[in-house]
């Protein structure tokens, strides 16, 4: 079955620093989704990438999809304490003609003020 | 509804009791997913529904876990004879179908004492 591996598993950065989180799939990607979860809360949709080479930005967060590498990266510029939380990548996995969503194990980000 | 609604938001139960967790998806969303998130862990897939049928139940941890969906809408996840290891946040998500984004509920925090 398809798996999504995220790296790093956890990250502590000083406020103002840039950082990158990677998500690598073991199988072909049919789109890649990024979510953020604040501690103790639900998941918030950040971005969806559907085509190879696609890049999207929201405020200071940019995500790219490399279809050939079956990988997506999430980049945060000039991190702030509000960026802290767990970042999860998700992807639809094709199974028997239908899809289900699978998720990576998450990257726990802490931003020090 | 406006978003995915889960109830209860918190549940404390005694070991050995049965519990029912409810998920109200966004109206019109055909696919519904259940995930479990233990403390500090990623999302563990449990089961998903396409309409009222469940093409994939492979994530259910044991036969104490069951789920149903009626009318292509509300879903109930039932855990029988709860054990302490069942303590986790149970998240529900709905989507129009891949490759569209999944919308998550706030989750039900289950504590088995």
């Amino acid at each position: 079955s398809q798996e999504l591996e995220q790296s790093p598993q956890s990250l502590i950065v000083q406020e103002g620093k840039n950082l990158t989180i990677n998500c690598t799939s073991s199988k072909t990607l049919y789109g890649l989704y990024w979510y953020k979860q604040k501690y103790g809360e639900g998941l918030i949709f950040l971005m969806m990438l559907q085509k190879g080479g696609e890049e999207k930005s929201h405020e200071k967060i940019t995500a790219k999809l490399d279809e050939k590498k079956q990988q997506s990266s999430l980049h945060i510029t000039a991190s702030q304490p509000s960026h802290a939380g767990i970042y999860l990548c998700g992807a639809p996995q094709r199974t028997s003609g239908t899809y289900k969503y699978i998720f990576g194990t998450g990257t726990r980000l802490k931003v020090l003020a | 509804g406006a978003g995915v609604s889960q109830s209860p938001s918190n549940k404390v139960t005694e070991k050995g009791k049965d519990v029912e967790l409810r998920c109200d998806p966004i109206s019109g969303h055909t696919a519904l997913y259940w995930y479990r998130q233990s403390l500090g862990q990623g999302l563990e897939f449990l089961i998903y529904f396409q309409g009222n049928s469940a093409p994939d139940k492979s994530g259910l941890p044991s036969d104490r876990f069951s789920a149903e969906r009626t009318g292509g809408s509300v879903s109930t996840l039932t855990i029988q004879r709860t054990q302490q290891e069942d303590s986790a946040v149970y998240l529900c998500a709905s989507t129009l179908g891949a490759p569209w984004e999944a919308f998550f509920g706030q989750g039900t925090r289950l504590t088995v004492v």
Side-chain angles (χ1 to χ4, degrees):
Chain A
S1 61
Q2 184 178 17
E3 291 183 354
L4 293 176
E5 188 174 326
Q6 284 186 239
S7 62
Q9 290 186 349
S10 65
L11 196 53
I12 302 174
V13 299
Q14 201 69 39
E15 182 177 2
K17 295 291 185 185
N18 302 336
L19 64 106
T20 299
I21 299 169
N22 291 307
C23 175
T24 304
S25 172
S26 60
K27 292 188 178 181
T28 303
L29 283 168
Y30 298 98
L32 194 289
Y33 302 76
W34 283 100
Y35 292 83
K36 179 186 173 185
Q37 184 179 34
K38 289 197 170 183
Y39 298 113
E41 298 181 12
L43 275 77
I44 301 168
F45 170 75
L46 293 176
M47 273 172 277
M48 173 175 69
L49 303 164
Q50 286 189 287
K51 301 175 188 175
E54 188 172 12
E55 180 175 322
K56 286 189 177 176
S57 293
H58 174 69
E59 298 179 346
K60 292 185 177 179
I61 301 176
T62 301
K64 299 179 187 178
L65 178 62
D66 187 330
E67 264 185 352
K68 288 183 182 177
K69 290 184 181 177
Q70 297 175 173
Q71 183 180 74
S72 177
S73 59
L74 184 86
H75 185 78
I76 299 177
T77 304
S79 58
Q80 300 169 359
S82 60
H83 287 129
I86 301 172
Y87 289 82
L88 286 147
C89 64
Q93 176 187 60
R94 190 188 294 222
T95 171
S96 303
T98 61
Y99 291 90
K100 72 177 186 185
Y101 281 92
I102 59 169
F103 288 88
T105 50
T107 296
R108 188 178 294 268
L109 172 65
K110 198 174 275 189
V111 180
L112 303 176
Chain B
V4 178
S5 177
Q6 290 188 246
S7 60
S9 54
N10 277 288
K11 176 75 177 177
V12 180
T13 189
E14 290 181 354
K15 180 181 172 182
K17 299 282 188 183
D18 297 352
V19 294
E20 279 190 357
L21 312 180
R22 177 186 168 107
C23 173
D24 264 292
I26 292 175
S27 178
H29 279 196
T30 56
L32 184 149
Y33 303 79
W34 282 100
Y35 297 90
R36 179 168 72 172
Q37 187 176 33
S38 301
L39 189 62
Q41 303 298 311
L43 294 180
E44 177 189 1
F45 168 80
L46 297 178
I47 185 172
Y48 92 101
F49 291 90
Q50 186 64 44
N52 291 334
S53 62
D56 191 336
K57 307 178 184 179
S58 63
L60 294 177
S62 74
D63 57 10
R64 296 186 295 105
F65 287 73
S66 62
E68 65 174 13
R69 188 180 185 196
T70 54
S73 182
V74 172
S75 176
T76 304
L77 177 70
T78 302
I79 309 173
Q80 296 177 309
R81 305 180 304 281
T82 52
Q83 304 293 314
Q84 287 186 328
E85 61 263 28
D86 299 335
S87 296
V89 175
Y90 289 81
L91 288 162
C92 171
S94 73
T95 175
L96 279 170
W100 293 275
E101 70 180 272
F103 292 83
F104 282 84
Q106 290 296 96
T108 293
R109 183 175 298 276
L110 175 66
T111 305
V112 182
V113 296

